Amino acid sequence: MISNPLIATVLVFALIALGEWISIISRARVPMLLTAMIGFLVLSWTGIFPEDILEKSTFAALGSILIGPAILHMGTMIPLSILKSQYKAVLIALGGVVSSGVLVLTIVPLVFDYPTAVAGVGPISGGVIALIVTSEGLKEIGLAATVVIPALIVAFQGVMGMPLALNFMRRYARKMIQQIDDESFIPVGDVDEIAATTERGKKSAIQSSATLKLFFVFVGAAVGVALGELTPIHYSLWCLGIGITGLKLGLFEAKALERSNSFTITMIGIIFVVIGTMADVTPQQVLANLPAIILVLILGTAGITIGGYLVSKLVKWHPYKGMPVALTALFGFPGDYILCDEVSRSVARNEQEEKTIFNELLAPMLIGGFTTVTIASVVVAGILINTL
């Protein structure tokens, strides 16, 4: 029965729905992704879920296709004027990566060995791409047994990073509420207001078609993917850039996927992909490599947090705002977006405050995530793997 694609999809979707429900009733203290990932592991390990449930679902395959359009959509959520002001987020994110790398490379070799440290540094500061770079390098030099370390770090790093980032973001949001009450808070630009200034009169039926809007988003994402294959620049950066530029030139509307009524299904598909990164993790692998994994996760998380704190002070940002930006290295997209949504929804007292908090948090979190997960972690992994 579970072999039916729809039934398999509903079972995994139930974990996401449960996570969303727990997130709502806990006022975002328990992130949705955390519940979904841990629930998937437990059900897979106990045999309740078959090993290939995601393959039977086929929904994760759809999710992998939707990553490009979703990243382009993220670009349409950040007007260029706001993006230019986010150089501090880039510095904070890089500060976390550097601090984490120094801490792991200094302490882990003293307890285990240098290859173990290298196996963890790239993935702890990024995600799947850094995992692939590290794993391929380890296999090429005959250290295939060590490949499980970066895989498990990528699988569990969100469990470390998301609750910590959520805690800092909630504290910062509460400070924002106090500043709003004191009338001392200066909000960033509102995407909706900026988009409204670009609208010119009544739109034609063609301009208003959700199908055509979605088609143009897919075309832009396809161009980004093609450029990623033709150049050494990863497709996610191309998609982000196309979204930002397209919004500026009027090729896309602000919040493109939401305007085409497609954002929710896109996010669910991508969450299926994120959960799928846990599919090959076994209890035996966790137990055998647990000491090294725990040490790298603790040192890496501490290093990222310390680096984020120090650079936040240097650029005159409140640490509660800056440290989550650095911690995006541990979960990236879509976790960064989900946390912004959960915090704004749970802390705000009305819709206007919710929008204000969301706009304040989103841009630096997205920029921080792209800086670490897409760029810095891949560079770090590529350099360090050559030192083995």
Side-chain angles (χ1 to χ4, degrees):
M1 184 173 65
I2 297 181
S3 61
N4 181 282
L6 178 57
I7 294 175
T9 298
V10 169
L11 290 174
V12 179
F13 200 170
L15 292 176
I16 300 172
L18 175 63
E20 179 72 6
W21 179 74
I22 292 176
S23 172
I24 292 171
I25 65 172
S26 68
R27 296 185 64 82
R29 288 182 175 85
V30 182
M32 180 266 284
L33 271 180
L34 180 61
T35 301
M37 288 190 294
I38 292 179
F40 181 81
L41 275 180
V42 171
L43 292 175
S44 297
W45 288 352
T46 55
I48 297 174
F49 277 2
E51 294 180 0
D52 58 348
I53 188 171
L54 288 172
E55 295 177 10
K56 291 176 178 177
S57 164
T58 71
F59 203 74
L62 173 62
S64 64
I65 295 173
L66 295 173
I67 292 175
I71 294 174
L72 187 148
H73 167 80
M74 292 296 108
T76 66
M77 296 189 69
I78 312 175
L80 202 57
S81 58
I82 296 179
L83 187 65
K84 290 178 180 178
S85 68
Q86 295 302 323
Y87 71 93
K88 293 181 179 180
V90 174
L91 294 177
I92 291 170
L94 292 177
V97 170
V98 171
S99 176
S100 171
V102 170
L103 208 56
V104 172
L105 290 174
T106 301
I107 298 178
V108 172
L110 300 177
V111 181
F112 297 99
D113 52 33
Y114 182 70
T116 298
V118 171
V121 168
I124 195 66
S125 60
V128 176
I129 301 171
L131 163 63
I132 293 173
V133 172
T134 303
S135 299
E136 290 177 349
L138 291 172
K139 290 177 181 177
E140 288 176 1
I141 60 176
L143 294 174
T146 315
V147 170
V148 68
I149 293 176
L152 291 174
I153 287 173
V154 169
F156 286 101
Q157 61 186 172
V159 175
M160 293 283 291
M162 290 182 69
L164 191 59
L166 179 64
N167 179 267
F168 292 141
M169 292 169 71
R170 285 177 59 85
R171 293 186 181 188
Y172 182 69
R174 284 194 286 267
K175 286 186 174 294
M176 286 179 58
I177 294 294
Q178 294 176 356
Q179 292 175 343
I180 290 173
D181 290 340
D182 297 338
E183 298 183 353
S184 61
F185 178 73
I186 301 176
V188 298
D190 188 334
V191 175
D192 290 330
E193 293 176 2
I194 294 172
T197 63
T198 64
E199 295 181 357
R200 297 182 177 88
K202 186 177 180 180
K203 294 181 180 180
S204 67
I206 292 178
Q207 291 175 315
S208 302
S209 171
T211 300
L212 291 177
K213 291 177 184 178
L214 184 60
F215 171 71
F216 293 137
V217 170
F218 268 67
V219 169
V223 171
V225 171
L227 289 172
E229 294 180 353
L230 295 173
T231 68
I233 301 174
H234 194 260
Y235 80 89
S236 61
L237 290 179
W238 284 114
C239 290
L240 181 66
I242 290 171
I244 295 169
T245 306
L247 176 65
K248 179 68 175 179
L249 298 177
L251 299 176
F252 306 116
E253 294 187 42
K255 302 182 179 180
L257 286 179
E258 292 182 25
R259 296 297 178 92
S260 62
N261 303 318
S262 308
F263 184 64
T264 300
I265 192 67
T266 298
M267 290 298 294
I268 295 300
I270 293 174
I271 292 171
F272 267 67
V273 176
V274 174
I275 292 175
T277 62
M278 314 283 282
D280 296 327
V281 176
T282 66
Q284 292 76 19
Q285 289 175 326
V286 174
L287 292 175
N289 294 277
L290 198 57
I293 293 166
I294 290 176
L295 183 60
V296 172
L297 284 172
I298 291 175
L299 292 176
T301 302
I304 290 171
T305 306
I306 292 170
Y309 177 86
L310 294 176
V311 180
S312 294
K313 287 291 189 180
L314 289 176
V315 301
K316 302 183 188 303
W317 268 19
H318 195 287
Y320 289 159
K321 179 181 179 181
M323 288 188 290
V325 172
L327 287 167
T328 56
L330 297 175
F331 46 88
F333 174 83
D336 45 14
Y337 179 91
I338 291 171
L339 289 185
C340 291
D341 180 63
E342 290 185 348
V343 170
S344 61
R345 183 182 62 204
S346 64
V347 176
R349 297 167 297 188
N350 53 59
E351 289 186 8
Q352 183 57 46
E353 286 184 357
E354 181 178 342
K355 182 183 293 186
T356 300
I357 294 171
F358 183 80
N359 288 336
E360 173 73 12
L361 296 174
L362 182 64
M365 289 292 285
L366 288 179
I367 297 302
F370 278 106
T371 300
T372 54
V373 175
T374 307
I375 304 173
S377 65
V378 178
V379 173
V380 169
I383 293 174
L384 290 178
I385 204 68
N386 291 324
T387 65
L388 294 175

